[in-house]
Protein backbone atom coordinates (compact mmCIF):
# COMPACT_ATOMS: atom_id res chain seq x y z
CA UNK A 1 0.00 0.00 0.00
CA UNK A 2 1.25 3.50 -0.84
CA UNK A 3 1.49 6.02 1.97
CA UNK A 4 2.29 9.69 1.72
CA UNK A 5 4.51 10.75 4.63
CA UNK A 6 5.12 14.41 5.44
CA UNK A 7 7.42 15.41 8.25
CA UNK A 8 6.03 17.96 10.70
CA UNK A 9 8.08 20.85 12.18
CA UNK A 10 7.56 19.27 15.62
CA UNK A 11 7.43 15.57 16.49
CA UNK A 12 4.10 14.17 15.36
CA UNK A 13 1.90 12.50 17.98
CA UNK A 14 2.28 8.75 18.40
CA UNK A 15 -0.78 6.58 19.06
CA UNK A 16 -0.29 3.55 21.30
CA UNK A 17 -2.83 0.72 21.25
CA UNK A 18 -2.45 -1.93 23.96
CA UNK A 19 -4.64 -4.59 25.52
CA UNK A 20 -3.55 -5.73 28.95
CA UNK A 21 -1.83 -4.70 32.16
CA UNK A 22 1.64 -5.83 31.11
CA UNK A 23 1.11 -4.45 27.61
CA UNK A 24 0.10 -1.07 29.05
CA UNK A 25 3.24 -1.04 31.18
CA UNK A 26 5.48 -1.83 28.22
CA UNK A 27 3.73 0.80 26.10
CA UNK A 28 4.00 3.43 28.82
CA UNK A 29 7.73 2.80 29.35
CA UNK A 30 8.25 2.97 25.60
CA UNK A 31 6.21 6.18 25.36
CA UNK A 32 8.43 7.74 28.02
CA UNK A 33 11.41 7.40 25.66
CA UNK A 34 9.74 9.38 22.86
CA UNK A 35 9.51 13.10 22.18
CA UNK A 36 6.24 14.88 21.50
CA UNK A 37 2.62 14.07 22.21
CA UNK A 38 1.60 10.55 23.17
CA UNK A 39 -1.93 9.26 22.68
CA UNK A 40 -3.05 5.91 23.99
CA UNK A 41 -6.04 3.67 23.38
CA UNK A 42 -6.21 0.89 26.00
CA UNK A 43 -8.44 -1.93 24.76
CA UNK A 44 -8.69 -3.55 28.21
CA UNK A 45 -9.10 -1.47 31.35
CA UNK A 46 -8.08 2.12 31.83
CA UNK A 47 -4.42 1.93 30.84
CA UNK A 48 -3.34 3.37 34.18
CA UNK A 49 0.34 2.75 33.47
CA UNK A 50 0.26 5.51 30.86
CA UNK A 51 -0.64 8.06 33.52
CA UNK A 52 3.03 8.22 34.55
CA UNK A 53 3.90 9.76 31.17
CA UNK A 54 2.41 12.88 29.62
CA UNK A 55 -0.25 11.10 27.61
CA UNK A 56 -3.76 11.64 26.31
CA UNK A 57 -6.26 8.80 26.31
CA UNK A 58 -8.44 8.46 23.25
CA UNK A 59 -11.67 6.49 23.23
CA UNK A 60 -13.71 4.64 25.77
CA UNK A 61 -12.68 2.43 28.65
CA UNK A 62 -13.71 -1.23 28.51
CA UNK A 63 -13.76 -2.89 31.91
CA UNK A 64 -13.99 -6.66 31.53
CA UNK A 65 -14.83 -9.10 34.36
CA UNK A 66 -12.16 -11.44 32.96
CA UNK A 67 -9.48 -8.77 33.20
CA UNK A 68 -8.72 -9.23 29.51
CA UNK A 69 -8.81 -13.04 29.36
CA UNK A 70 -12.20 -13.80 27.74
CA UNK A 71 -10.90 -17.08 26.31
CA UNK A 72 -9.26 -18.22 29.53
CA UNK A 73 -12.45 -20.11 30.33
CA UNK A 74 -16.07 -20.35 29.25
CA UNK A 75 -17.13 -18.48 32.40
CA UNK A 76 -14.77 -15.64 31.51
CA UNK A 77 -16.27 -15.37 28.02
CA UNK A 78 -19.85 -15.41 29.28
CA UNK A 79 -19.13 -12.70 31.86
CA UNK A 80 -17.43 -10.48 29.27
CA UNK A 81 -20.27 -10.87 26.79
CA UNK A 82 -22.75 -9.84 29.47
CA UNK A 83 -20.56 -6.80 30.18
CA UNK A 84 -20.94 -5.58 26.56
CA UNK A 85 -17.78 -7.03 25.06
CA UNK A 86 -18.92 -6.96 21.42
CA UNK A 87 -20.62 -3.57 21.21
CA UNK A 88 -18.02 -1.71 23.24
CA UNK A 89 -15.15 -3.38 21.37
CA UNK A 90 -16.53 -2.22 18.01
CA UNK A 91 -16.72 1.28 19.41
CA UNK A 92 -13.05 1.07 20.37
CA UNK A 93 -12.12 0.38 16.73
CA UNK A 94 -13.72 3.68 15.72
CA UNK A 95 -12.04 5.45 18.63
CA UNK A 96 -8.62 4.17 17.48
CA UNK A 97 -9.18 5.39 13.92
CA UNK A 98 -10.08 8.85 15.21
CA UNK A 99 -7.16 8.84 17.63
CA UNK A 100 -4.71 8.15 14.80
CA UNK A 101 -5.69 11.27 12.87
CA UNK A 102 -2.76 13.63 12.60
CA UNK A 103 -0.40 11.14 14.26
CA UNK A 104 3.02 10.14 12.98
CA UNK A 105 2.74 6.41 13.67
CA UNK A 106 0.61 3.75 15.32
CA UNK A 107 2.31 1.48 17.86
CA UNK A 108 0.53 -1.74 18.87
CA UNK A 109 1.62 -3.46 22.06
CA UNK A 110 -0.36 -6.66 22.32
CA UNK A 111 -1.79 -9.69 20.60
CA UNK A 112 -3.42 -10.38 17.26
CA UNK A 113 -6.63 -8.59 18.24
CA UNK A 114 -4.76 -5.40 19.12
CA UNK A 115 -2.85 -5.74 15.86
CA UNK A 116 -6.12 -5.88 13.93
CA UNK A 117 -7.32 -2.66 15.56
CA UNK A 118 -3.97 -0.98 14.96
CA UNK A 119 -3.80 -2.11 11.33
CA UNK A 120 -7.19 -0.55 10.57
CA UNK A 121 -6.25 2.70 12.32
CA UNK A 122 -2.88 2.91 10.54
CA UNK A 123 -4.18 2.06 7.06
CA UNK A 124 -7.13 4.44 7.13
CA UNK A 125 -4.83 7.25 8.26
CA UNK A 126 -1.91 6.13 6.04
CA UNK A 127 0.55 5.84 8.90
CA UNK A 128 3.51 3.59 9.71
CA UNK A 129 2.60 0.64 11.94
CA UNK A 130 4.90 -0.84 14.59
CA UNK A 131 3.90 -4.08 16.35
CA UNK A 132 5.39 -5.01 19.71
CA UNK A 133 4.32 -8.61 20.44
CA UNK A 134 5.08 -9.42 24.11
CA UNK A 135 2.75 -12.42 24.39
CA UNK A 136 3.54 -15.08 21.81
CA UNK A 137 6.63 -17.21 22.12
CA UNK A 138 7.77 -20.13 20.01
CA UNK A 139 8.75 -21.71 23.33
CA UNK A 140 5.06 -22.21 24.15
CA UNK A 141 5.19 -25.08 21.68
CA UNK A 142 7.98 -26.93 23.51
CA UNK A 143 6.66 -30.40 24.24
CA UNK A 144 3.05 -29.38 23.52
CA UNK A 145 2.22 -32.20 21.11
CA UNK A 146 -1.13 -32.95 19.48
CA UNK A 147 -2.82 -34.00 22.71
CA UNK A 148 -1.72 -30.82 24.44
CA UNK A 149 -2.86 -28.68 21.52
CA UNK A 150 -6.30 -30.30 21.60
CA UNK A 151 -6.54 -29.78 25.35
CA UNK A 152 -5.72 -26.09 24.87
CA UNK A 153 -7.84 -25.30 21.83
CA UNK A 154 -9.20 -22.20 23.56
CA UNK A 155 -5.60 -20.91 23.78
CA UNK A 156 -4.55 -21.94 20.27
CA UNK A 157 -3.95 -18.35 19.19
CA UNK A 158 -1.90 -17.74 22.31
CA UNK A 159 0.33 -20.77 21.70
CA UNK A 160 1.27 -19.94 18.13
CA UNK A 161 0.63 -17.15 15.62
CA UNK A 162 -2.44 -17.70 13.48
CA UNK A 163 -2.20 -17.21 9.69
CA UNK A 164 -4.20 -13.97 9.87
CA UNK A 165 -1.84 -12.57 12.53
CA UNK A 166 1.19 -13.41 10.39
CA UNK A 167 -0.43 -11.74 7.40
CA UNK A 168 -1.09 -8.59 9.42
CA UNK A 169 2.45 -8.67 10.80
CA UNK A 170 3.87 -8.85 7.28
CA UNK A 171 2.07 -5.59 6.55
CA UNK A 172 3.61 -3.81 9.56
CA UNK A 173 6.61 -1.55 9.10
CA UNK A 174 8.40 -3.10 12.09
CA UNK A 175 7.70 -6.11 14.32
CA UNK A 176 9.46 -6.77 17.63
CA UNK A 177 9.10 -10.09 19.47
CA UNK A 178 9.92 -11.27 22.96
CA UNK A 179 12.72 -13.80 22.41
CA UNK A 180 15.20 -15.12 19.89
CA UNK A 181 13.27 -18.36 19.30
CA UNK A 182 10.20 -16.36 18.24
CA UNK A 183 12.28 -14.19 15.93
CA UNK A 184 13.47 -17.32 14.12
CA UNK A 185 9.93 -18.70 13.97
CA UNK A 186 8.46 -15.49 12.56
CA UNK A 187 11.19 -15.11 9.95
CA UNK A 188 10.60 -18.65 8.71
CA UNK A 189 7.01 -17.53 8.11
CA UNK A 190 7.94 -14.42 6.15
CA UNK A 191 7.75 -11.81 8.94
CA UNK A 192 10.91 -9.72 9.36
CA UNK A 193 10.61 -9.70 13.13
CA UNK A 194 13.36 -8.53 15.47
CA UNK A 195 14.37 -9.59 18.95
CA UNK A 196 16.14 -6.63 20.55
CA UNK A 197 15.81 -7.68 24.19
CA UNK A 198 13.29 -8.84 26.77
CA UNK A 199 10.29 -6.56 27.26
CA UNK A 200 9.66 -8.12 30.68
CA UNK A 201 13.14 -7.27 31.89
CA UNK A 202 12.96 -3.78 30.39
CA UNK A 203 10.01 -2.90 32.62
CA UNK A 204 11.44 -4.44 35.80
CA UNK A 205 11.91 -1.60 38.29
CA UNK A 206 15.16 -0.99 40.10
CA UNK A 207 15.03 -1.61 43.86
CA UNK A 208 12.80 1.14 45.26
CA UNK A 209 14.01 0.97 48.87
CA UNK A 210 16.02 -0.96 51.42
CA UNK A 211 14.21 -4.01 52.80
CA UNK A 212 16.30 -4.50 55.99
CA UNK A 213 16.60 -8.26 55.68
CA UNK A 214 18.48 -10.79 57.78
CA UNK A 215 21.62 -11.73 55.87
CA UNK A 216 21.64 -15.41 56.89
CA UNK A 217 18.09 -16.30 55.79
CA UNK A 218 16.95 -17.02 52.22
CA UNK A 219 14.22 -14.75 50.88
CA UNK A 220 10.96 -16.22 49.57
CA UNK A 221 9.05 -13.81 47.30
CA UNK A 222 5.28 -14.30 47.18
CA UNK A 223 3.79 -13.01 43.93
CA UNK A 224 -0.03 -13.19 43.93
CA UNK A 225 -0.19 -11.03 40.78
CA UNK A 226 -2.19 -8.06 39.57
CA UNK A 227 -5.28 -10.03 38.49
CA UNK A 228 -8.15 -11.20 40.66
CA UNK A 229 -6.41 -14.59 41.08
CA UNK A 230 -4.77 -13.05 44.16
CA UNK A 231 -7.98 -13.51 46.19
CA UNK A 232 -7.53 -17.28 45.90
CA UNK A 233 -3.75 -17.54 45.74
CA UNK A 234 -2.57 -15.21 48.51
CA UNK A 235 -4.08 -17.28 51.37
CA UNK A 236 -2.45 -20.42 49.98
CA UNK A 237 0.92 -18.67 49.71
CA UNK A 238 0.73 -17.32 53.26
CA UNK A 239 -0.12 -20.72 54.69
CA UNK A 240 2.82 -22.24 52.78
CA UNK A 241 5.20 -19.54 54.03
CA UNK A 242 4.05 -20.12 57.62
CA UNK A 243 5.43 -23.67 57.31
CA UNK A 244 8.88 -22.27 56.45
CA UNK A 245 10.26 -20.49 59.54
CA UNK A 246 13.77 -20.76 58.11
CA UNK A 247 13.03 -18.25 55.32
CA UNK A 248 12.06 -14.59 55.16
CA UNK A 249 8.82 -14.36 53.17
CA UNK A 250 7.85 -11.08 51.49
CA UNK A 251 4.65 -10.40 49.57
CA UNK A 252 5.02 -8.10 46.56
CA UNK A 253 1.54 -6.56 46.81
CA UNK A 254 0.23 -4.53 43.83
CA UNK A 255 -3.25 -3.68 45.17
CA UNK A 256 -4.87 -1.53 47.82
CA UNK A 257 -4.81 -2.89 51.36
CA UNK A 258 -8.56 -3.36 51.19
CA UNK A 259 -8.07 -6.10 48.60
CA UNK A 260 -6.00 -8.32 50.89
CA UNK A 261 -7.62 -11.75 51.41
CA UNK A 262 -6.23 -13.67 54.38
CA UNK A 263 -6.53 -17.27 55.57
CA UNK A 264 -9.07 -17.82 58.30
CA UNK A 265 -7.78 -16.62 61.66
CA UNK A 266 -5.05 -14.37 60.23
CA UNK A 267 -4.85 -10.64 60.96
CA UNK A 268 -3.56 -7.66 58.99
CA UNK A 269 -1.76 -4.73 60.62
CA UNK A 270 -1.44 -1.82 58.17
CA UNK A 271 1.69 0.07 59.15
CA UNK A 272 1.85 2.61 56.30
CA UNK A 273 0.72 3.16 52.73
CA UNK A 274 3.55 0.93 51.57
CA UNK A 275 3.85 -1.78 54.24
CA UNK A 276 1.62 -4.09 56.25
CA UNK A 277 2.19 -7.11 58.44
CA UNK A 278 -0.01 -10.18 58.44
CA UNK A 279 0.15 -12.66 61.29
CA UNK A 280 -1.23 -16.15 61.70
CA UNK A 281 -0.24 -19.79 62.28
CA UNK A 282 2.72 -18.56 64.31
CA UNK A 283 4.18 -16.51 61.46
CA UNK A 284 4.52 -12.83 60.64
CA UNK A 285 4.83 -11.92 56.96
CA UNK A 286 5.39 -8.47 55.46
CA UNK A 287 3.34 -7.19 52.52
CA UNK A 288 5.09 -4.45 50.54
CA UNK A 289 3.48 -2.06 48.06
CA UNK A 290 5.53 -0.23 45.45
CA UNK A 291 8.58 -2.39 46.11
CA UNK A 292 8.39 -5.13 43.50
CA UNK A 293 11.84 -4.34 42.09
CA UNK A 294 13.38 -4.58 45.55
CA UNK A 295 11.57 -7.83 46.40
CA UNK A 296 12.43 -9.39 43.05
CA UNK A 297 16.14 -8.65 43.38
CA UNK A 298 16.29 -9.82 46.99
CA UNK A 299 14.56 -13.15 46.28
CA UNK A 300 16.30 -16.51 46.36
CA UNK A 301 13.11 -18.35 45.38
CA UNK A 302 9.50 -17.38 44.60
CA UNK A 303 5.96 -18.69 44.69
CA UNK A 304 3.91 -16.93 42.02
CA UNK A 305 0.53 -16.89 40.29
CA UNK A 306 1.46 -14.04 37.98
CA UNK A 307 2.23 -13.72 34.30
CA UNK A 308 4.89 -11.04 33.93
CA UNK A 309 6.19 -11.15 37.52
CA UNK A 310 6.92 -14.89 37.30
CA UNK A 311 8.80 -14.30 34.06
CA UNK A 312 10.78 -11.41 35.52
CA UNK A 313 11.89 -13.49 38.51
CA UNK A 314 12.91 -16.29 36.15
CA UNK A 315 14.78 -13.72 34.04
CA UNK A 316 16.76 -12.78 37.16
CA UNK A 317 17.73 -16.42 37.64
CA UNK A 318 15.28 -17.04 40.51
CA UNK A 319 13.44 -20.41 40.60
CA UNK A 320 9.66 -19.95 40.62
CA UNK A 321 7.05 -22.34 42.01
CA UNK A 322 3.50 -21.90 40.73
CA UNK A 323 0.04 -23.36 41.18
CA UNK A 324 -3.13 -22.94 39.18
CA UNK A 325 -6.14 -20.94 40.35
CA UNK A 326 -9.71 -20.81 39.11
CA UNK A 327 -8.81 -17.65 37.21
CA UNK A 328 -9.30 -15.30 35.60
CA UNK A 329 -5.64 -15.46 34.52
CA UNK A 330 -3.58 -18.14 36.19
CA UNK A 331 -5.70 -21.12 35.23
CA UNK A 332 -4.39 -24.62 34.66
CA UNK A 333 -3.92 -23.93 30.96
CA UNK A 334 -2.05 -20.69 31.63
CA UNK A 335 0.21 -22.42 34.15
CA UNK A 336 1.03 -25.18 31.66
CA UNK A 337 1.81 -22.63 28.97
CA UNK A 338 4.09 -20.66 31.25
CA UNK A 339 5.77 -23.90 32.26
CA UNK A 340 6.63 -24.59 28.62
CA UNK A 341 7.88 -21.03 28.23
CA UNK A 342 10.16 -21.08 31.26
CA UNK A 343 11.25 -24.71 31.28
CA UNK A 344 13.12 -25.67 34.45
CA UNK A 345 12.81 -22.12 35.79
CA UNK A 346 9.17 -22.84 36.74
CA UNK A 347 7.70 -25.75 38.69
CA UNK A 348 3.91 -26.07 38.69
CA UNK A 349 2.58 -27.80 41.81
CA UNK A 350 -0.77 -28.47 43.49
CA UNK A 351 -2.38 -25.57 45.34
CA UNK A 352 -1.54 -27.19 48.67
CA UNK A 353 0.50 -25.24 51.25
CA UNK A 354 2.24 -28.42 52.46
CA UNK A 355 3.27 -29.38 48.91
CA UNK A 356 4.46 -25.86 48.11
CA UNK A 357 6.49 -25.55 51.30
CA UNK A 358 8.12 -28.93 50.66
CA UNK A 359 9.10 -27.84 47.14
CA UNK A 360 10.63 -24.62 48.46
CA UNK A 361 12.70 -26.62 50.94
CA UNK A 362 13.73 -29.11 48.27
CA UNK A 363 14.96 -26.38 45.93
CA UNK A 364 16.80 -24.45 48.64
CA UNK A 365 18.64 -27.66 49.54
CA UNK A 366 19.58 -28.36 45.90
CA UNK A 367 22.27 -26.05 44.47
CA UNK A 368 22.20 -28.02 41.21
CA UNK A 369 18.42 -27.58 40.92
CA UNK A 370 18.76 -23.86 41.54
CA UNK A 371 21.52 -23.62 38.94
CA UNK A 372 19.43 -25.40 36.28
CA UNK A 373 16.45 -23.15 37.03
CA UNK A 374 18.62 -20.03 36.85
CA UNK A 375 20.14 -21.06 33.52
CA UNK A 376 16.72 -21.83 32.04
CA UNK A 377 15.29 -18.49 33.15
CA UNK A 378 18.22 -16.41 31.98
CA UNK A 379 18.30 -18.20 28.62
CA UNK A 380 14.59 -18.29 27.87
CA UNK A 381 13.72 -14.74 28.94
CA UNK A 382 16.88 -13.01 27.77
CA UNK A 383 18.41 -9.66 28.71
CA UNK A 384 16.80 -6.21 28.78
CA UNK A 385 17.47 -3.62 26.08
CA UNK A 386 14.55 -3.72 23.63
CA UNK A 387 12.73 -0.49 24.43
CA UNK A 388 15.45 2.03 23.42
CA UNK A 389 15.86 0.18 20.11
CA UNK A 390 12.11 0.23 19.47
CA UNK A 391 11.85 3.92 20.41
CA UNK A 392 14.53 4.81 17.87
CA UNK A 393 12.69 2.83 15.19
CA UNK A 394 9.39 4.57 15.98
CA UNK A 395 11.00 8.00 15.66
CA UNK A 396 12.65 6.99 12.40
CA UNK A 397 9.41 5.73 10.88
CA UNK A 398 7.35 8.65 12.17
CA UNK A 399 9.55 11.41 10.86
CA UNK A 400 12.36 10.44 8.50
CA UNK A 401 10.64 11.09 5.17
CA UNK A 402 9.39 14.33 3.65
CA UNK A 403 6.80 14.34 0.90
CA UNK A 404 7.68 10.87 -0.33
CA UNK A 405 5.63 7.87 -1.34
CA UNK A 406 6.10 4.51 0.31
Amino acid sequence: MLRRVTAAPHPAPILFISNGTAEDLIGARLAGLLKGEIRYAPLVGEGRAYAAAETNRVGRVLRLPSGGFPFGSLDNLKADLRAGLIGESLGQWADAVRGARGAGAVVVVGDAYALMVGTVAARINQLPLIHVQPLLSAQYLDGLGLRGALRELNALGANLPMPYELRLARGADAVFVRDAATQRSYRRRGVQARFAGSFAMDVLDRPQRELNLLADRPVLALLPGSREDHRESLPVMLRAAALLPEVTALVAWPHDWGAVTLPEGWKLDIQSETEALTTGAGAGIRLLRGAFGAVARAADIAIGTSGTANEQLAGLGVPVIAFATHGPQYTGGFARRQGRLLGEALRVMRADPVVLAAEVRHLLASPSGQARAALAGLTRIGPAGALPVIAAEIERLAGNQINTWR
Side-chain angles (χ1 to χ4, degrees):
M1 183 185 72
L2 295 177
R3 301 189 184 111
R4 187 160 187 147
V5 183
T6 303
H10 301 289
I14 305 297
L15 173 65
F16 280 79
I17 297 172
S18 53
N19 63 335
T21 303
E23 294 89 322
D24 291 344
L25 181 57
I26 294 167
R29 293 288 176 90
L30 184 53
L33 300 177
L34 300 173
K35 303 179 183 71
E37 179 190 350
I38 300 296
R39 304 170 183 171
Y40 69 99
L43 302 180
V44 177
E46 301 175 23
R48 292 180 181 176
Y50 288 98
E54 294 184 6
T55 57
N56 300 302
R57 183 173 58 80
V58 298
R60 68 205 69 196
V61 171
L62 177 58
R63 297 179 179 88
L64 296 175
S66 75
F69 293 89
F71 298 107
S73 69
L74 184 58
D75 288 340
N76 283 7
L77 180 58
K78 288 178 178 178
D80 284 358
L81 289 172
R82 286 194 296 267
L85 173 64
I86 296 175
E88 289 299 300
S89 296
L90 290 175
Q92 288 182 323
W93 289 60
D95 294 339
V97 171
R98 286 191 293 268
R101 289 174 185 163
V106 174
V107 180
V108 172
V109 186
D111 60 13
Y113 175 73
L115 180 57
M116 284 191 283
V117 178
T119 298
V120 171
R123 287 183 176 175
I124 288 177
N125 289 281
Q126 300 186 35
L127 298 175
L129 174 65
I130 299 93
H131 185 206
V132 179
Q133 173 45 291
L135 302 172
L136 278 176
S137 173
Q139 295 173 135
Y140 282 136
L141 301 178
D142 287 358
L144 178 61
L146 178 60
R147 180 177 297 179
L150 292 174
R151 184 171 57 174
E152 297 180 16
L153 277 177
N154 63 319
L156 187 61
N159 284 330
L160 74 164
M162 296 289 95
Y164 67 88
E165 180 175 0
L166 293 171
R167 182 173 180 178
L168 291 173
R170 293 185 195 107
D173 295 271
V175 177
F176 292 89
V177 293
R178 63 184 296 173
D179 53 49
T182 307
Q183 174 184 283
R184 293 190 295 270
S185 175
Y186 266 58
R187 289 191 174 185
R188 285 196 299 269
R189 291 162 172 80
V191 179
Q192 292 306 305
R194 294 173 61 186
F195 168 59
S198 167
F199 311 128
M201 303 314 291
D202 271 327
V203 299
L204 175 59
D205 290 325
R206 294 188 178 95
Q208 297 88 346
R209 61 181 187 264
E210 291 292 330
L211 299 180
N212 300 318
L213 302 171
L214 296 174
D216 61 343
R217 298 179 70 180
V219 173
L220 169 65
L222 304 179
L223 314 172
S226 63
R227 308 288 184 174
E228 288 298 297
D229 305 74
H230 70 82
R231 299 188 184 279
E232 179 182 346
S233 64
L234 179 62
V236 177
M237 293 179 184
L238 293 175
R239 290 169 58 205
L243 299 173
L244 296 162
E246 68 270 31
V247 309
T248 296
L250 300 172
V251 180
W253 187 246
H255 309 280
D256 295 334
W257 295 130
V260 174
T261 304
L262 298 176
E264 185 177 354
W266 286 56
K267 297 180 180 180
L268 183 70
D269 176 19
I270 300 172
Q271 300 176 340
S272 69
E273 290 186 0
T274 59
E275 185 162 348
L277 178 70
T278 182
T279 54
I285 298 170
R286 295 161 66 193
L287 287 81
L288 304 174
R289 295 180 66 213
F292 177 75
V295 173
R297 287 177 169 81
D300 296 289
I301 193 167
I303 300 177
T305 54
S306 173
T308 301
N310 282 10
E311 293 167 19
Q312 289 171 324
L313 269 289
L316 289 172
V318 177
V320 181
I321 299 167
F323 59 91
T325 75
H326 290 93
Q329 180 185 26
Y330 214 86
T331 60
F334 190 101
R336 288 191 297 271
R337 290 179 58 244
Q338 192 174 65
R340 297 196 300 271
L341 171 70
L342 298 179
E344 288 196 70
L346 183 78
R347 301 186 181 204
V348 180
M349 314 298 293
R350 286 191 292 116
D352 181 329
V354 174
V355 172
L356 295 169
E359 188 62 20
V360 169
R361 257 195 204 103
H362 171 73
L363 268 172
L364 289 176
S366 173
S368 61
Q370 292 178 59
R372 289 194 302 272
L375 179 61
L378 293 167
T379 303
R380 287 169 171 266
I381 294 299
L387 296 191
V389 175
I390 300 171
E393 184 68 1
I394 292 169
E395 291 184 339
R396 184 187 74 80
L397 289 168
N400 71 333
Q401 301 192 46
I402 301 176
N403 293 327
T404 61
W405 287 99
R406 304 186 58 215

